[in-house]
Amino acid sequence: MSEKDHVLIFDTTLRDGEQSPGATMSHTEKLEIAGLLDEMGVDIIEAGFPIASEGDFQAVSEIAKRAKSSVICGLARANYKDIDRCWEAVRHAKKPRIHTFIGTSPLHRAIPNLTMDEMAERIHDTVTHARNLCDNVQWSPMDATRTEWDYLTRVVEIAIKAGATTINIPDTVGYTAPRESADLIRRLIAEVPGADDVVFATHCHNDLGMATANSLAAVEGGARQIECTINGLGERAGNTALEEVVMAMRVRGDIMPYKTDIDATKLMHISRRVATVSGFAVQYNKAIVGKNAFAHESGIHQDGMLKNAETFEIMRPEDVGLTETNIVMGKHSGRAALRSKLKELGYELGDNQLKDVFVRFKALADRKKEVFEDDLIALMRDQETGEVHDRIKVKFLRVICGTEAPQSADIILEIDGKEQRATAKGDGPVDAAFNAVKELFPHNAHLQLYQVHAVTEGTDAQATVSVRMEEEGRIATGESADTDTVVASAKAYVNALNRLLVRREKSDPDADVKTVSYKDAG
Ligand code: KIV
Ligand code: ZN
């Protein structure tokens, strides 16, 4: 295989993914995810949008300083101020990149109110400016797939002449289809002067469920960079999922003979981490990283699997970093066994952390006969979310349920170190528990999402509860797991509230990302 068959993986989980409402990550979480992407072999990490907020700027700068092998890229609109700020953040990287863009379709051109000629001039000037700062410049005509062909070729040529080294062709609204996606790239490469000297990239959104197919088709048309996110995180229906394009090219190398540098055995772990920190759970039947992606329940399937795994599996679970879901631990398991199992699952703990987790593991093992890998993952998530911002803690909860409403909840919360107790009624035990929290800690946040998943099977299974809350445009997600669904719900609610409080108090810079408009090209 030659260099020509190498497809660069550009991950934008921390930019396009993080932009999706409710997916805001903290500074520490962004650094952790960037570290995992770098280790996994991602070629380019789009670490954020530096002009959007002080928080984004700090995160991109810090990621740039820490990156070992990945190129670190920041996003900038088509104006000097954005580009300068972006450069200030990424310049710390061993391999920095500036990514500048402007909407070129008729609908997008109308927003900054520029004529075609004025926009062409703006593209020339801003790409030239970026290139004077940095050797590695990516340019994107936003909404390229709905831009008139003649105008698209004109502006792509201008960007190449002005010094862009990568031309990204975004399907911003998820409108294209595979054949069209391949043809568009193929024609651009064939017809735009200078196209052979740059890398063409594809950036697809999943509004019609075709993002992965469109990205792979673009590669067949000649693109050599795929822009994607872990778990397909991203605005609306999300972006192309990294794990899908990487595994598709690997499993179907016979018809898609392209290679990437991704260590696929790290996919499961990073998928779980992104799900946890973004608060966006992975759907059970999600390709590659969904809980059911390698589960075989029907008798025929199980029989076939026992005889030969290839009967129903086109890739092995271990290829994507999934270890076998067996009963892994019980109440007699010791600390060393727990440490080693957690290490296998991708969690390396220091002695003190292990001590805390072990206490919680023992408590869980006392309540639950069999502790599965998924239980341990839920325990770890709970440990982490519980540690983040904990002004409020649930100390005690008792609910009275019955066939007759209302139900009631008696709760003790520790708020800023002081224990307080309240009782409240509600329509069901969860509602009663939430009302009791509200009684002790009045707030105006409203619940946008409440989801319960069973972590494993059985009536003693842990429930993972995800909660999303919104207050004056600020959104926070919380998560918790417990064998008692109502306890998990109350803890998830308090967890989301804690995150919201931090955002409120610091007037969280992360939240500002959502207020910077792409419309403001000038
Ligand atoms: O979808 C899109 O067009 C983008 C651009 C900023 C590249 O995310
Ligand atoms: Zn996008």
Side-chain angles (χ1 to χ4, degrees):
M1 237 182 244
S2 74
E3 259 315 290
K4 277 214 161 297
D5 304 312
H6 189 106
V7 173
L8 298 167
I9 297 296
F10 176 110
D11 182 278
T12 183
T13 306
L14 298 173
R15 201 278 298 168
D16 220 341
E18 209 252 352
Q19 233 165 262
S20 99
T24 313
M25 299 174 200
S26 71
H27 183 79
T28 326
E29 289 164 346
K30 287 180 191 172
L31 298 192
E32 184 205 337
I33 299 300
L36 294 175
L37 292 168
D38 195 357
E39 258 174 45
M40 189 172 66
V42 163
D43 299 282
I44 306 112
I45 299 173
E46 187 163 52
F49 190 6
I51 195 88
S53 69
E54 182 55 28
D56 241 43
F57 177 83
Q58 293 302 343
V60 178
S61 311
E62 197 53 42
I63 290 169
K65 285 178 196 156
R66 293 178 182 209
K68 293 197 175 80
S69 354
S70 306
V71 171
I72 301 302
C73 173
L75 185 69
R77 291 165 300 183
N79 66 67
Y80 291 179
K81 207 168 151 215
D82 269 42
I83 293 170
D84 290 346
R85 189 74 174 144
C86 177
W87 173 239
E88 250 184 87
V90 297
R91 71 186 176 82
H92 303 286
K94 288 193 193 94
K95 295 186 261 179
R97 174 181 291 190
I98 296 173
H99 176 192
T100 178
F101 74 99
I102 195 162
T104 52
S105 67
L107 285 167
H108 283 264
R109 283 199 306 268
I111 302 167
N113 201 15
L114 295 177
T115 64
M116 283 177 153
D117 287 345
E118 284 166 348
M119 183 170 282
E121 198 182 325
R122 171 79 68 93
I123 292 164
H124 171 269
D125 293 350
T126 49
V127 174
T128 305
H129 181 70
R131 188 56 207 270
N132 284 337
L133 297 169
C134 181
D135 284 347
N136 191 335
V137 172
Q138 171 165 329
W139 180 73
S140 297
M142 186 162 73
D143 206 13
T145 53
R146 294 191 300 166
T147 299
E148 304 92 322
W149 170 253
D150 286 347
Y151 192 58
L152 184 63
T153 52
R154 177 179 167 197
V155 288
V156 167
E157 185 181 346
I158 288 172
I160 294 174
K161 285 207 175 114
T165 45
T166 299
I167 299 291
N168 175 38
I169 301 299
D171 182 29
T172 306
V173 290
Y175 178 71
T176 198
R179 201 179 316 135
E180 193 179 59
S181 176
D183 286 348
L184 183 60
I185 302 283
R186 194 176 290 120
R187 282 187 71 197
L188 283 168
I189 294 175
E191 294 182 31
V192 176
D196 285 342
D197 304 329
V198 299
V199 172
F200 272 80
T202 178
H203 176 111
C204 298
H205 282 264
N206 203 29
D207 299 64
L208 292 173
M210 293 193 281
T212 295
N214 289 337
S215 302
L216 294 170
V219 168
E220 292 191 334
R224 286 296 176 268
Q225 176 177 303
I226 297 181
E227 307 210 354
C228 44
T229 58
I230 300 294
N231 299 338
L233 194 69
E235 282 201 83
R236 307 185 312 277
N239 290 62
T240 301
L242 180 148
E243 61 277 7
E244 292 177 14
V245 284
V246 165
M247 290 314 288
M249 289 189 280
R250 189 153 308 183
V251 174
R252 295 309 312 273
D254 54 333
I255 54 165
M256 291 182 277
Y258 311 108
K259 75 170 188 62
T260 71
D261 281 342
I262 299 296
D263 175 358
T265 62
K266 302 209 184 304
L267 287 172
M268 270 324 288
H269 178 60
I270 193 162
S271 161
R272 287 171 181 146
R273 294 300 300 139
V274 168
T276 301
V277 303
S278 67
F280 277 56
V282 176
Q283 83 195 49
Y284 276 23
N285 56 343
K286 164 85 181 61
I288 320 294
V289 291
K291 192 169 153 58
N292 288 355
F294 294 93
H296 302 273
E297 279 208 7
S298 86
I300 297 175
H301 280 220
Q302 282 182 348
D303 188 44
M305 285 295 294
L306 289 173
K307 290 191 177 115
N308 180 355
E310 285 181 24
T311 321
F312 287 104
E313 264 178 13
I314 55 170
M315 51 199 153
R316 294 170 309 163
E318 54 270 33
D319 295 343
V320 298
L322 189 67
T323 44
E324 261 191 45
T325 311
N326 276 328
I327 300 166
V328 288
M329 319 270 303
K331 64 174 170 190
H332 301 299
S333 307
R335 205 175 291 203
L338 179 66
R339 187 198 288 271
S340 127
K341 192 71 218 172
L342 287 173
K343 191 167 175 211
E344 217 177 278
L345 294 172
Y347 298 97
E348 300 237 19
L349 302 190
D351 288 346
N352 283 339
Q353 266 179 311
L354 181 70
K355 217 160 113 189
D356 292 348
V357 175
F358 190 66
V359 171
R360 302 178 65 160
F361 160 71
K362 281 286 179 191
L364 178 65
D366 271 344
R367 281 183 287 155
K368 211 172 170 293
K369 283 197 298 291
E370 302 157 333
V371 178
F372 295 83
E373 284 182 356
D374 283 344
D375 287 316
L376 292 181
I377 291 163
L379 196 77
M380 285 307 299
R381 275 199 229 148
D382 216 30
Q383 172 88 2
E384 286 164 354
T385 49
E387 273 173 8
V388 186
H389 314 299
D390 41 8
R391 265 187 67 192
I392 316 173
K393 290 179 190 149
V394 178
K395 298 307 253 185
F396 167 86
L397 174 67
R398 182 168 46 209
V399 289
I400 301 173
C401 302
T403 47
E404 270 163 43
Q407 282 70 26
S408 72
D410 179 15
I411 201 162
I412 299 179
L413 296 182
E414 185 187 299
I415 304 174
D416 296 328
K418 238 174 89 192
E419 288 197 0
Q420 300 178 40
R421 184 170 202 147
T423 308
K425 294 195 187 321
D427 188 2
V430 173
D431 190 45
F434 288 4
N435 288 340
V437 173
K438 215 167 174 178
E439 183 116 353
L440 289 177
F441 199 91
H443 57 84
N444 292 325
H446 78 270
L447 194 63
Q448 280 195 330
L449 175 103
Y450 170 76
Q451 259 176 354
V452 185
H453 292 292
V455 174
T456 53
E457 286 82 39
T459 47
D460 66 350
Q462 286 195 95
T464 296
V465 176
S466 310
V467 158
R468 187 161 80 211
M469 291 166 76
E470 189 267 343
E471 184 194 57
E472 290 168 13
R474 286 181 288 261
I475 297 174
T477 51
E479 199 175 79
S480 188
D482 199 281
T483 48
D484 185 318
T485 311
V486 186
V487 172
S489 302
K491 285 186 176 170
Y493 187 81
V494 163
N495 180 232
L497 206 53
N498 277 318
R499 285 173 176 256
L500 213 46
L501 285 179
V502 172
R503 237 147 253 180
R504 191 205 281 173
E505 278 162 18
K506 285 194 194 158
S507 69
D508 182 36
D510 289 336
D512 302 344
V513 176
K514 275 77 193 181
T515 64
V516 170
S517 166
Y518 283 143
K519 297 177 187 95
D520 175 21

